[in-house]
Amino acid sequence: MAEVALHHVGKKYGDVQAVEDFTLTIQHGEFMVFVGPSGCGKTTTLRMIAGLEEITSGEILIDGRKVNHLPPKDRDIAMVFQNYALYPHMTVFDNMAFGLKLKKMPRDEIEQRVRQTAGMLGILDFLKRKPRELSGGQRQRVALGRAIVRTPKVYLFDEPLSNLDAKLRVQMRLELKKLHEKMNTTSIYVTHDQIEAMTMGDRIVVMKDGRIQQVGHPLEIYMHPRNRFVAGFIGSPTMNFIEGARIEKENGALFSVTKGMKLPIPKTHFEALAPYAGREIVLGVRPEDLSEGDDPNAPGAVKAYVEVVQPVGNQIYIDVKVGDRNLLAAISPQSAVKVKEEILLKARLENLHFFDPESEKALV
Amino acid sequence: MKQKAWTKFLRFYLPLGLFLLFLLFPFYWMFATTFKSDAELYNLKLNPFLIHHWSLVNLKHLFYQTPFLRWLWNTFFVAITSTLISLSTSLLAAYGIQRIRFKGSSMMGIGIFFCYLVPPTILFIPLATMVFKLHLWDSLWALSLIYPTFLIPFCTWLLMGYFNSIPKELEECAMMDGASRMWIFWRVIIPLSLPGILSAGIFAFTLSWNEYLYALTFISTSLKKTVSVGLVTELVRGDIYHWGPLMAGALFGSVPVALVYSFFVEYYVAGITGALKE
Ligand SMILES: Nc1ncnc2c1ncn2[C@@H]1O[C@H](COP(=O)(O)OP(=O)(O)O)[C@@H](O)[C@H]1O
Ligand SMILES: [Mg+2]
């Protein structure tokens, strides 16, 4: 168990600022997920925590102790690499026992711990094999086992599931989460997959261009993204952004208006949005906040023209035209929606998102 | 079906066969000449490609009238020592340049490469001065120490390429597990680079086995000569070529190298292609 704290950590490769002003505290036993598009500095941050990369500025503390210049071996951290990094010339057993042997642990204790961990991961039968004789999923487990068997203070995972096929990925996601519940060790997990982040993280850090965009619980980030980037990155399918929507004031009420759509704004947002009356903003609507409606006069009703219908089983994604814009809506699978027909949609008004067109910050 | 076999023969086996013939013919010629008497060798009426009367007279000449076995041993000694010196140095150099990012490491790599480009015909005069000053003139150690001047750059480059194919995460993972650099080098890098090391070793061994210029320059005593120099200086007297013993010497001189090659051929191929299969 350990607390990992980063204060204004930065990393420069020559002229490239890979990570900038990264400040975050990861609590004892927390499962923290770093998520962001490729190249946003997730791996670099992880490697700085591991001590594999010198930091250019700021400081890193583990359990309150500054570790900026501490070599990796003295940090008591285990890392699972994206390519697994198993030693090809050693058996699974030797791969897992590697760190324990270096710690000069007695042989029978090594044997017992490796067997116990292998049993937990379901790889007991493969202990005598070499990595090349294993499937991708099995290698993944060995890589996990090698980290777990050491019982370090902190686990670091760098996209550990990205080389697995979709089905196995979902299964391993669940197993990792269970393992974490059981061991409760501070873990930092890097992924570019927002679903992985949402499902696994106690908290999520959304990153872009080396900077933290938002930190929070998965649902909190989903419900209240702090800027347009986070709103677009978290959630699947992606949020619809309607640029050039105007905030209009009528009889003391606020509306967000675009061609073919006039949505009343909930009273709770009046204070924040009043200064924007008469100005253009970016309106964000999640596909799942657009459902099929029945009353054309109800608040939030939108007339749309269906262009594409994509059933995915538990939902139907429809691509619709409203005015001159295309929006995606996720509606109930019971709907009898047809292509090239009109449909009446209803927006969940309390879930609308508003962004400043210049700063892209969320307005409410 | 028949058609296919024919095209395969024409496009694959025929060119391959011709190529083999071209490459192996000198060996056959050495072999045939070795076992012919002078009388048969110089008789133009006989078919020169066949051996009509097997004779061991050339072998007797080679083994009893020249110190051929001694030359073989000398060559072996020089090849082994210079290969070992070069390999151990190159392993450390290549690892350092490739993996420890010290200041100027890439410049160093390029520098070593340029060393390789300087031809021995330019180097042997300054090297001769050094050999004299070190009192190594006419000593096999002169060759053992001088061959690495071209072997080390060569092996270093070959090994750098090989190390580059080993994922650096392997080392990082070991580092986090508490292994030291040296430990990682011995337990992770060396075992994984064995094919590369072997092929570098084979190359180094062959290059020193066949080396001629330095061996000719720095050794003068007959008993200290290597095979390549010994044969030419002792079996060509003025303008008289003792073809029989010469060819016998060439044959027996190339056998060890051929053996080494055939023994390690698989590693050798893997080493050249730098393939590290997981
Ligand atoms: N060793 C390096 N040398 C130079 N630039 C690097 C190096 N490693 C990463 N970078 C750069 O730093 C940025 C962040 O990279 P990385 O942390 O690997 O991103 P992520 O893991 O989020 O995809 C990228 O722009 C990348 O090109
Ligand atoms: Mg990465």
Side-chain angles (χ1 to χ4, degrees):
Chain A
M1 287 269 256
E3 182 191 270
V4 179
L6 295 94
H7 295 315
H8 308 288
V9 171
K11 174 73 191 180
K12 256 185 152 166
Y13 291 110
D15 291 339
V16 182
Q17 186 81 46
V19 176
E20 200 171 359
D21 199 20
F22 196 102
T23 299
L24 178 75
T25 301
I26 299 141
Q27 315 288 344
H28 287 288
E30 191 170 26
F31 198 100
M32 180 65 95
V33 178
F34 294 175
V35 67
S38 182
C40 72
K42 310 179 293 287
T43 299
T44 306
T45 311
L46 211 59
R47 290 171 56 85
M48 287 192 290
I49 297 172
L52 297 171
E53 212 73 61
E54 283 283 324
I55 70 178
T56 322
S57 57
E59 57 182 18
I60 298 180
L61 301 114
I62 298 178
D63 275 341
R65 176 176 172 219
K66 189 168 159 184
V67 296
N68 283 21
H69 301 293
L70 206 62
K73 68 181 163 72
D74 298 328
R75 298 192 183 192
D76 198 10
I77 286 178
M79 183 154 167
V80 178
F81 292 86
Q82 186 170 5
N83 59 1
Y84 312 148
L86 300 176
Y87 309 116
H89 58 302
M90 296 183 194
T91 61
V92 169
F93 182 92
D94 288 335
N95 263 285
M96 289 177 68
F98 190 91
L100 303 182
K101 280 183 189 160
L102 278 167
K103 277 193 196 161
K104 306 238 174 342
M105 190 178 277
R107 282 201 73 84
D108 42 348
E109 195 183 340
I110 293 182
E111 176 93 25
Q112 186 241 328
R113 275 174 74 162
V114 169
R115 292 198 151 271
Q116 189 198 345
T117 310
M120 199 157 76
L121 290 165
I123 48 173
L124 256 181
D125 295 342
F126 310 128
L127 286 180
K128 288 208 178 66
R129 293 207 203 161
K130 295 265 177 73
R132 79 176 96 78
E133 298 160 331
L134 300 176
S135 71
Q138 289 160 349
R139 284 183 207 179
Q140 171 61 64
R141 281 162 201 270
V142 177
L144 280 178
R146 185 172 60 178
I148 291 171
V149 79
R150 270 182 50 205
T151 55
K153 276 202 254 178
V154 181
Y155 289 119
L156 305 179
F157 301 94
D158 191 1
E159 312 217 11
L161 307 185
S162 60
N163 287 336
L164 303 180
D165 62 58
K167 207 166 170 183
L168 205 52
R169 203 150 59 210
V170 175
Q171 186 190 338
M172 283 306 288
R173 212 157 74 191
L174 197 70
E175 280 188 44
L176 264 178
K177 184 127 196 188
K178 277 190 199 153
L179 272 175
H180 179 253
E181 309 271 83
K182 190 146 60 183
M183 299 181 304
N184 227 9
T185 308
T186 311
S187 305
I188 305 174
Y189 185 102
V190 160
T191 176
H192 64 267
D193 178 354
Q194 57 92 18
I195 298 199
E196 226 166 271
M198 293 288 286
T199 49
M200 299 186 69
D202 290 335
R203 278 195 299 159
I204 298 181
V205 178
V206 184
M207 294 176 67
K208 181 193 167 204
D209 298 338
R211 284 181 162 275
I212 294 184
Q213 302 295 309
Q214 189 167 2
V215 183
H217 297 272
L219 282 181
E220 179 187 327
I221 291 184
Y222 174 82
M223 300 293 279
H224 306 290
R226 232 204 281 145
N227 60 36
R228 184 173 164 175
F229 171 79
V230 176
F233 194 80
I234 300 290
S236 169
T238 312
M239 182 185 282
N240 296 297
F241 291 107
I242 300 161
E243 311 204 16
R246 291 178 70 83
I247 301 282
E248 286 184 1
K249 201 166 185 174
E250 270 176 39
N251 307 330
L254 287 178
F255 295 87
S256 128
V257 184
T258 63
K259 200 170 165 197
M261 190 156 80
K262 183 173 180 182
L263 303 175
I265 293 170
K267 278 210 173 59
T268 44
H269 297 344
F270 276 11
E271 198 174 331
L273 290 175
Y276 286 83
R279 286 169 58 185
E280 290 191 346
I281 49 107
V282 178
L283 176 68
V285 190
R286 291 203 184 274
E288 52 272 37
D289 288 331
L290 289 170
S291 54
E292 216 170 344
D294 39 23
D295 179 3
N297 296 318
V302 181
K303 273 206 199 83
Y305 176 76
V306 182
E307 293 196 326
V308 183
V309 176
Q310 300 169 280
V312 290
N314 61 342
Q315 277 179 325
I316 301 178
Y317 297 155
I318 54 173
D319 195 54
V320 298
K321 198 139 206 158
V322 176
D324 49 1
R325 293 168 206 282
N326 278 74
L327 299 183
L328 193 75
I331 61 172
S332 151
Q334 274 85 38
S335 166
V337 62
K338 285 211 184 65
V339 186
K340 294 185 184 159
E341 279 185 5
E342 292 267 327
I343 185 173
L344 188 71
L345 293 176
K346 185 174 177 307
R348 202 166 292 131
L349 297 172
E350 65 277 18
N351 286 358
L352 293 182
H353 300 268
F354 306 89
F355 303 97
D356 185 287
E358 268 96 51
S359 71
E360 307 210 322
K361 285 206 170 72
L363 298 175
V364 292
Chain B
M1 201 63 207
K2 219 170 193 173
Q3 180 90 30
K4 220 174 161 189
W6 256 107
T7 49
K8 184 155 191 196
F9 174 79
L10 274 181
R11 288 164 57 170
F12 184 70
Y13 290 110
L14 190 66
L16 194 69
L18 289 175
F19 190 63
L20 270 181
L21 197 69
F22 179 73
L23 280 185
L24 291 179
F25 183 73
F27 284 94
Y28 175 71
W29 195 250
M30 282 184 334
F31 178 83
T33 312
T34 300
F35 293 102
K36 284 178 190 176
S37 63
D38 271 357
E40 184 179 336
L41 198 57
Y42 294 118
N43 186 344
L44 295 179
K45 288 188 187 124
L46 295 174
N47 182 348
F49 297 108
L50 300 176
I51 305 171
H52 297 271
H53 300 286
W54 291 75
S55 150
L56 293 177
V57 66
N58 293 326
L59 291 184
K60 267 193 204 137
H61 185 138
L62 181 71
F63 284 104
Y64 292 118
Q65 288 169 39
T66 71
F68 182 72
L69 283 178
R70 184 58 198 245
W71 294 342
L72 261 185
W73 163 250
N74 291 344
T75 317
F76 186 74
F77 172 82
V78 169
I80 286 288
T81 45
S82 55
T83 299
L84 287 181
I85 293 173
S86 309
L87 267 189
S88 46
T89 315
S90 304
L91 272 171
L92 294 172
Y95 183 75
I97 290 170
Q98 195 63 264
R99 284 297 160 82
I100 304 172
R101 279 173 271 160
F102 59 92
K103 253 208 169 92
S105 58
S106 57
M107 278 312 293
M108 194 136 178
I110 295 167
I112 288 180
F113 184 65
F114 276 122
C115 289
Y116 186 63
L117 297 181
V118 184
T121 38
I122 292 179
L123 275 181
F124 84 97
I125 296 173
L127 281 176
T129 317
M130 292 170 71
V131 165
F132 267 123
K133 292 221 163 124
L134 291 170
H135 303 290
L136 288 174
W137 182 260
D138 201 19
S139 151
L140 287 177
W141 278 106
L143 301 184
S144 300
L145 292 179
I146 280 181
Y147 289 173
T149 57
F150 59 87
L151 295 182
I152 289 176
F154 179 80
C155 295
T156 305
W157 268 79
L158 202 144
L159 289 172
M160 273 167 63
Y162 204 82
F163 289 163
N164 205 20
S165 73
I166 300 176
K168 74 178 190 317
E169 285 85 358
L170 285 183
E171 282 177 71
E172 290 173 343
C173 196
M175 234 185 269
M176 297 184 70
D177 277 350
S180 66
R181 271 270 178 214
M182 260 336 216
W183 210 95
I184 295 172
F185 184 68
W186 279 112
R187 299 295 177 87
V188 180
I189 298 296
I190 298 271
L192 288 181
S193 322
L194 268 187
I197 296 170
L198 271 175
S199 57
I202 292 172
F203 260 125
F205 184 85
T206 333
L207 284 175
S208 16
W209 187 275
N210 294 331
E211 208 283 333
Y212 184 75
L213 182 65
Y214 290 142
L216 182 70
T217 319
F218 299 131
I219 304 289
S220 55
T221 312
S222 177
L223 277 180
K224 289 185 183 160
K225 282 178 181 166
T226 57
V227 171
S228 57
V229 173
L231 288 179
V232 175
T233 52
E234 314 255 329
L235 289 170
V236 182
R237 290 274 152 77
D239 57 354
I240 302 172
Y241 285 73
H242 297 280
W243 280 120
L246 255 179
M247 286 296 148
L251 186 67
F252 282 89
S254 48
V255 164
V257 178
L259 281 181
V260 168
Y261 262 97
S262 58
F263 201 68
F264 291 121
V265 66
E266 267 176 48
Y267 286 108
Y268 175 73
V269 171
I272 298 299
T273 49
L276 178 73
K277 295 188 194 82
E278 259 205 73

